[in-house]
Amino acid sequence: MARLDRTGPGTTRATPFQIMGVVNVTPDSFSDGGRYLDVDDAIAHGLELVRAGATIIDVGGESTRPGAARVDTSEEQHRVGPVVAALASAGVRVSVDTMSAETAVSAARAGASIINDVSGGLADERMPAVMADSGLACVISHWRGHSADMASRAHYDDAAVDVARELDERVSVLLGQGLTASQIIVDPGLGFSKHTEHNWRILARLDLLQSLGYPVLVGASRKRFIGALLTGDAPMESRDAPTAVVSVLAAQAGAWGVRVHDVAATRLALDTLEAWQGGADD
């Protein structure tokens, strides 16, 4: 599916819609409960997601669920390094999900081509320099604080307006620290210092993020506000159907890509949208 996306202010190009498949190499992920902590299992899962239609695999070794404790950097690198290296050597486009500058450097050396920092370079003061020096694409997320206390920071006049403004301000700082506009992808940080109503407001006004002039990544997959749509004690996988709907709506709204756990469901939903749109051209 081709969409018009921006590579920086004032420039546009047609690019495929990106599906970023999630591989959590952690024992405490909210979405899979450590299912892929074993390196071989994580590698196999990443390759499976590629076969299902993922264009990028996002490898993370530290849970960012609400209340999660920080992980020692050496342990984080021990978890993600072999996975990144194996997937990259297999020709997979790999993103490293980390707030640590040291881990970002290590992953880049192992073959990662994207740095995905949910803190937008705020958690580690060395990260902006690492991002700039790497020349890699960098996902800059909206962030107000660590998982342990982020819920207390969820106060907005208008979540969509405030998040777009704060992301714009953060990107401006990073540009001043050496990043180039072509490196930047923005992410509204759904679920981070945001309540359910904030997340839906942001999604409903993705145009505000689009107006910043950068590719927009949407990461709604299996998050608590998605789970709130379900009734009873539904299993985590039940969140994949509404996530796929969000993926389609994000694509229609002009997003650059989505970050998801169930790649197959999202790929099928996007193929359905493409078929629908193609019918209008016959």
Side-chain angles (χ1 to χ4, degrees):
M1 176 181 297
R3 307 202 63 81
L4 278 178
D5 292 304
R6 292 187 179 271
T7 57
T11 61
T12 61
R13 61 184 174 85
T15 62
F17 186 77
Q18 303 296 318
I19 302 177
M20 181 182 281
V22 180
V23 174
N24 293 312
V25 196
T26 61
D28 56 347
S29 167
F30 80 94
S31 63
D32 53 42
R35 188 180 304 172
Y36 307 110
L37 181 59
D38 178 80
V39 168
D40 290 338
D41 289 343
I43 294 168
H45 184 54
L47 294 174
E48 179 185 8
L49 294 179
V50 171
R51 289 192 292 271
T55 56
I56 303 166
I57 297 299
D58 191 46
V59 181
E62 178 179 12
S63 175
T64 53
R65 61 179 173 78
R70 297 301 310 277
V71 172
D72 181 77
T73 300
S74 61
E75 174 61 22
E76 183 186 23
Q77 292 176 30
H78 174 72
R79 292 175 181 178
V80 305
V83 181
V84 171
L87 292 175
S89 67
V92 176
R93 188 181 183 192
V94 180
S95 167
V96 60
D97 179 359
T98 183
M99 293 184 282
S100 163
E102 289 183 17
T103 300
V105 170
S106 176
R109 289 173 178 164
S113 57
I114 300 174
I115 298 171
N116 179 14
D117 181 353
V118 298
S119 80
L122 287 167
D124 186 336
E125 64 181 8
R126 299 163 296 176
M127 184 65 92
V130 166
M131 288 176 166
D133 292 344
S134 73
L136 300 180
C138 298
V139 179
I140 309 303
S141 295
H142 177 267
W143 190 79
R144 287 184 170 181
H146 287 288
S147 297
D149 66 346
M150 64 182 178
S152 66
R153 304 170 188 266
H155 301 286
Y156 302 90
D157 292 327
D158 182 318
V161 173
D162 294 348
V163 166
R165 183 187 68 252
E166 291 174 26
L167 260 178
D168 191 31
E169 292 169 353
R170 183 61 191 149
V171 168
S172 294
V173 170
L174 291 170
L175 291 173
Q177 293 176 310
L179 274 76
T180 62
S182 62
Q183 287 181 264
I184 293 172
I185 300 161
V186 295
D187 182 330
L190 299 174
F192 292 90
S193 298
K194 297 169 186 73
H195 298 316
T196 294
E197 65 273 17
H198 300 142
N199 296 309
W200 289 120
R201 173 63 178 165
I202 291 164
L203 287 171
R205 291 303 313 273
L206 278 184
D207 59 298
L208 295 177
L209 292 178
Q210 295 278 103
S211 71
L212 300 183
Y214 303 98
V216 176
L217 176 66
V218 173
S221 183
R222 294 186 179 178
K223 291 192 174 177
R224 185 176 300 177
F225 77 99
I226 295 290
L229 297 169
L230 306 172
T231 58
D233 188 20
M236 186 60 68
E237 290 77 9
S238 298
R239 302 181 183 186
D240 293 332
T243 294
V245 175
V246 169
S247 295
V248 166
L249 294 172
Q252 288 182 306
W256 169 82
V258 289
R259 181 181 182 274
V260 298
H261 298 84
D262 187 341
V263 168
T266 283
R267 181 68 270 166
L268 180 59
L270 291 168
D271 287 346
T272 303
L273 172 62
E274 186 173 19
W276 181 297
Q277 293 175 331
D281 298 329
D282 291 344

